[in-house]
Amino acid sequence: MGCFVIGNRPGDEGVELLASFVGFFRSPDPARDKFLSRFFALFSESVVRTWCAVPQAPYEDLGRPTLCKPGSTRGHTIDFTLRDRSSGRCYVVELKCELEYDGYRYLTLTAADQLNHHTSPAFAKFLTAARHPSVVDVRVRGTSQQIHGAVLIWGAMTAEGRQATMETHGFADVLSVEQMLADLHTWQPESWLALVNRYRGWTDELFDFLAGAKAPDTSQPTLGKENIR
């Protein structure tokens, strides 16, 4: 399995990581990769939330932000509001983890123009917030929230892709799910292990059911369902 250089956060430039994330989601079997990509999309946001909840992470999650034009009460709700634990500065955040989509074209961020296919009004406001945070009204859990820009989260990336995307779109930071998973593997927080085991149990139940095995007792709710959003 090969290596490549990524720079996920300031100070990470030149760090070599095994290409396990890219290698796992891009195999010789596209049908497998499509299935796993869609399945992972069900809970990829949980990776970010769990990572942010660990004290070692550089950011904490404040909740989903709603972005509005000044004076408007209607807006678009996106994925996260992250607060830098060092500076206290806050950023609106979008997660774009497109793994197998369009022949793996967006699996690894290598150039700024890979964002061009995102043309929704919500993403347009997100891009505006990156360069002009003062012209976007942001509310988190119904409360007005001052922001200092925007942060993008991608699946995987190269150092050059990260830098080009920050310079082109004005992002304060670009993070990767790949690095978050690497951090979680290193930190091994109980919350992450519990989440993985919970999801593994649910999928085992599903495939046991499909194979005709004895149905599990589902009369009691399983804790943690709120993590899938």
Side-chain angles (χ1 to χ4, degrees):
M1 188 175 295
C3 295
F4 64 98
V5 177
I6 68 168
N8 197 40
R9 297 189 297 263
D12 281 350
E13 290 77 11
V15 175
E16 284 191 344
L17 295 180
L18 285 175
S20 56
F21 183 90
V22 173
F24 180 82
F25 283 106
R26 183 167 189 170
S27 77
D29 185 351
R32 165 202 179 270
D33 301 342
K34 184 183 292 292
F35 173 81
L36 292 178
S37 175
R38 292 180 175 180
F39 179 66
F40 184 66
L42 294 175
F43 61 92
S44 57
E45 290 186 6
S46 296
V47 176
V48 180
R49 291 193 179 90
T50 305
W51 180 80
C52 288
V54 179
Q56 295 98 309
Y59 297 97
E60 60 180 322
D61 178 31
L62 303 182
R64 291 185 183 274
T66 299
L67 282 55
C68 303
K69 294 180 179 179
S72 174
T73 58
R74 300 183 64 183
H76 294 87
T77 299
I78 61 173
D79 296 329
F80 311 97
T81 310
L82 298 190
R83 178 162 58 198
D84 189 311
R85 282 190 164 99
S86 299
S87 68
R89 295 167 73 87
C90 295
Y91 306 95
V92 292
V93 182
E94 269 280 84
L95 169 64
K96 296 300 180 187
C97 191
E98 303 161 308
L99 304 176
E100 182 274 340
Y101 177 66
D102 199 8
Y104 311 96
R105 183 176 181 179
Y106 305 104
L107 173 57
T108 302
L109 182 65
T110 59
D113 63 5
Q114 286 173 282
L115 277 65
N116 291 351
H117 70 296
H118 292 292
T119 58
S120 68
F123 200 76
K125 285 182 181 177
F126 169 66
L127 292 178
T128 298
R131 289 203 177 275
H132 308 288
S134 62
V135 305
V136 179
D137 287 343
V138 177
R139 300 185 72 82
V140 179
R141 297 191 174 100
T143 301
S144 180
Q145 174 68 56
Q146 181 184 11
I147 63 166
H148 301 85
V151 169
L152 177 69
I153 304 176
W154 206 261
M157 62 188 174
T158 63
E160 295 79 10
R162 173 181 181 269
Q163 188 62 36
T165 302
M166 290 175 65
E167 291 175 356
T168 300
H169 297 286
F171 294 124
D173 202 353
V174 178
L175 308 172
S176 74
V177 175
E178 177 184 46
Q179 182 63 55
M180 292 178 181
L181 286 171
D183 289 342
L184 290 169
H185 294 163
T186 298
W187 300 334
Q188 292 287 290
E190 291 185 7
S191 58
W192 176 244
L193 300 177
L195 192 70
V196 170
N197 287 330
R198 184 182 307 125
Y199 292 171
R200 179 186 290 122
W202 290 348
T203 54
D204 285 350
E205 289 177 8
L206 171 63
F207 289 111
D208 285 347
F209 170 74
L210 295 176
K214 182 179 178 181
D217 179 9
T218 58
S219 60
Q220 297 299 319
T222 304
L223 294 178
K225 289 184 178 178
E226 69 279 357
N227 286 307
I228 295 185
R229 302 183 184 182

